[in-house]
Amino acid sequence: MPDHDWDISPQEAMALQARLAERVRIEPLRGPVRTVAGVDCAYLGAGPPWAQPTDRRVVAVAVLLDADSMATLATACVVRPSAFPYVPGLLSFREAPAVIEAVGKLPERPDLLMCDGQGIAHPRRLGLAAHVGLWCDLSTIGVAKSRLCGRHRAPGRRRGCRTQLRLDDADAGARGQLVGAVVRTRTGVKPLVVSPGHRASIDDAVRWTLRCGRGVRLPEPTRRAHHHVSREKRRRGGQP
DNA sequence: GCGACAG
DNA sequence: ATCTTGTCGC
């Protein structure tokens, strides 16, 4: 596992990502998946887009669910300072510390973890899901509501349709490398961008995203984590 | 220099 | 991510 410093500059973070990405393992999930966890973050005291942040703290929630019934088995919540700014491509340096801590507070390690964001569908192959998976040595997949990089055709309009996501020629390293898929999780709605994080394959990412679906756009683990973290944010004072 | 740009 | 109510469509 990595064990690096999180308090570094954006320049150092980018260099670090390139090195860490070499250790990410894209391979089929092994062993039965009995539990799946979802994680999400919210920012305290963020205020309107035009206002300056009042409180620089992030709240992260991890939810553990039974992979068959999708029943909630446990939830964990953490609140901690977040110093790193949001920079496209460096999201993990802003959220991973909180996410890792929340997952660590769950009563048991999940067989699969779903993160809000990219896995290896990233300019340097180290999106949030890949970084967290590497750090915790867990199987992870990234489920994002929009694309960070790469090119793809529009998937069919029906639930279950998906197209390949390949890196742009501009992304250093692999030109046209297959890194994920754009999946229609619900007929007629905007598709999700999924990619493996660590110790999972692209097929696993697509399969579990659809398998955890409940007729709504977001898969249940992610959806539940989002609802829980939103409630937690309001309870702690969204605008101190 | 000009676009693109997870949450 | 964040602010915010009602409203249009299946």
Side-chain angles (χ1 to χ4, degrees):
Chain A
M1 286 101 278
D3 184 50
H4 62 261
D5 230 316
W6 291 100
D7 184 32
I8 58 181
S9 70
Q11 290 63 42
E12 298 174 309
M14 290 182 73
L16 179 56
Q17 291 182 318
R19 275 180 283 133
L20 293 177
E22 296 175 20
R23 295 204 250 164
V24 171
R25 288 305 164 224
I26 298 306
E27 56 191 29
L29 278 171
R30 301 199 296 191
V33 175
R34 297 200 173 79
T35 60
V36 184
V39 285
D40 194 22
C41 298
Y43 298 85
L44 298 178
W50 56 84
Q52 295 305 309
T54 304
D55 188 351
R56 295 178 182 293
R57 284 183 301 165
V58 59
V59 45
V61 164
V63 180
L64 185 70
L65 352 206
D66 178 90
D68 291 322
S69 65
M70 285 293 112
T72 296
L73 302 177
T75 66
C77 178
V78 302
V79 176
R80 50 173 300 160
S82 90
F84 212 92
Y86 170 68
V87 178
L90 299 181
L91 180 64
S92 64
F93 289 88
R94 184 170 161 76
E95 303 192 339
V99 165
I100 291 168
E101 197 176 318
V103 172
K105 287 185 67 176
L106 287 174
E108 62 180 83
R109 283 162 62 80
D111 293 322
L112 177 64
L113 176 66
M114 294 180 58
C115 294
D116 248 55
Q118 315 297 332
I120 59 171
H122 178 280
R124 288 166 297 284
R125 276 16 86 56
L126 200 81
L128 177 63
H131 203 160
V132 171
L134 193 59
W135 186 279
C136 302
D137 191 32
L138 280 176
S139 284
T140 61
I141 64 175
V143 178
K145 294 180 290 298
S146 61
R147 179 193 68 90
L148 203 215
C149 65
R151 295 168 52 74
H152 66 84
R153 308 293 274 285
R157 165 196 180 101
R158 311 243 311 169
R159 167 182 162 84
C161 291
R162 77 293 299 267
T163 54
Q164 304 181 318
L165 174 63
R166 290 174 179 284
L167 258 30
D168 296 56
D169 302 322
D171 293 312
R175 324 185 157 305
Q177 182 190 333
L178 184 62
V179 293
V182 177
V183 186
R184 194 80 68 180
T185 54
R186 185 179 183 187
T187 301
V189 303
K190 183 178 180 181
L192 257 27
V193 179
V194 308
S195 58
H198 184 54
R199 296 198 167 187
S201 67
I202 293 178
D203 280 347
D204 289 325
V206 172
R207 185 177 311 119
W208 283 95
T209 293
L210 288 169
R211 182 173 299 185
C212 293
R214 275 288 201 272
V216 288
R217 180 153 99 118
L218 296 177
E220 220 45 34
T222 296
R223 187 162 176 268
R224 223 163 280 175
H226 186 266
H227 282 163
H228 197 125
V229 82
S230 295
R231 183 169 65 63
E232 214 49 43
K233 174 192 164 87
R234 289 182 312 182
R235 191 171 72 70
R236 311 214 179 206
Q239 327 73 36

